[in-house]
Amino acid sequence: MLALIHLDQAEYEAALESAEQALAINPTDDVSHYVMGKALLATGQEEQAITEMETFLNLTWDRARIRDFREEVEALLEADGT
């Protein structure tokens, strides 16, 4: 993802722009919210950074819950012999 490259190179404005473009296409892209949070923090926009990082954490947590649920279902199916 281009936004991550910009973030790694401390190109924070470019990182923000790339992440915003990605979020316009997919508002639930957790990595873009992470990049936004880190870049906003680096540019002194702490309140906005906190909001983005909270969104990132919520999306990541939701994905972990889905993975755990899928594993439970697979285990049940395996035990059932299906």
Side-chain angles (χ1 to χ4, degrees):
M1 161 183 258
L2 185 58
L4 279 172
I5 294 169
H6 288 304
L7 183 65
D8 287 342
Q9 295 177 352
E11 299 169 349
Y12 302 119
E13 293 301 323
L16 287 169
E17 185 178 321
S18 293
E20 287 172 352
Q21 290 173 356
L23 289 170
I25 296 167
N26 180 7
T28 62
D29 179 22
D30 58 344
V31 175
S32 293
H33 285 287
Y34 170 81
V35 170
M36 291 283 293
K38 296 289 280 186
L40 288 165
L41 189 61
T43 58
Q45 301 173 67
E46 288 143 2
E47 286 186 36
Q48 290 173 292
I50 290 168
T51 300
E52 290 298 331
M53 293 308 280
E54 287 174 340
T55 302
F56 163 73
L57 291 171
N58 287 334
L59 290 169
T60 303
W61 185 77
D62 284 345
R63 187 169 49 203
R65 280 187 27 204
I66 291 168
R67 184 179 54 244
D68 291 346
F69 178 71
R70 184 179 59 225
E71 289 172 0
E72 287 178 35
V73 170
E74 288 172 352
L76 287 172
L77 291 173
E78 226 175 77
D80 191 33
T82 334

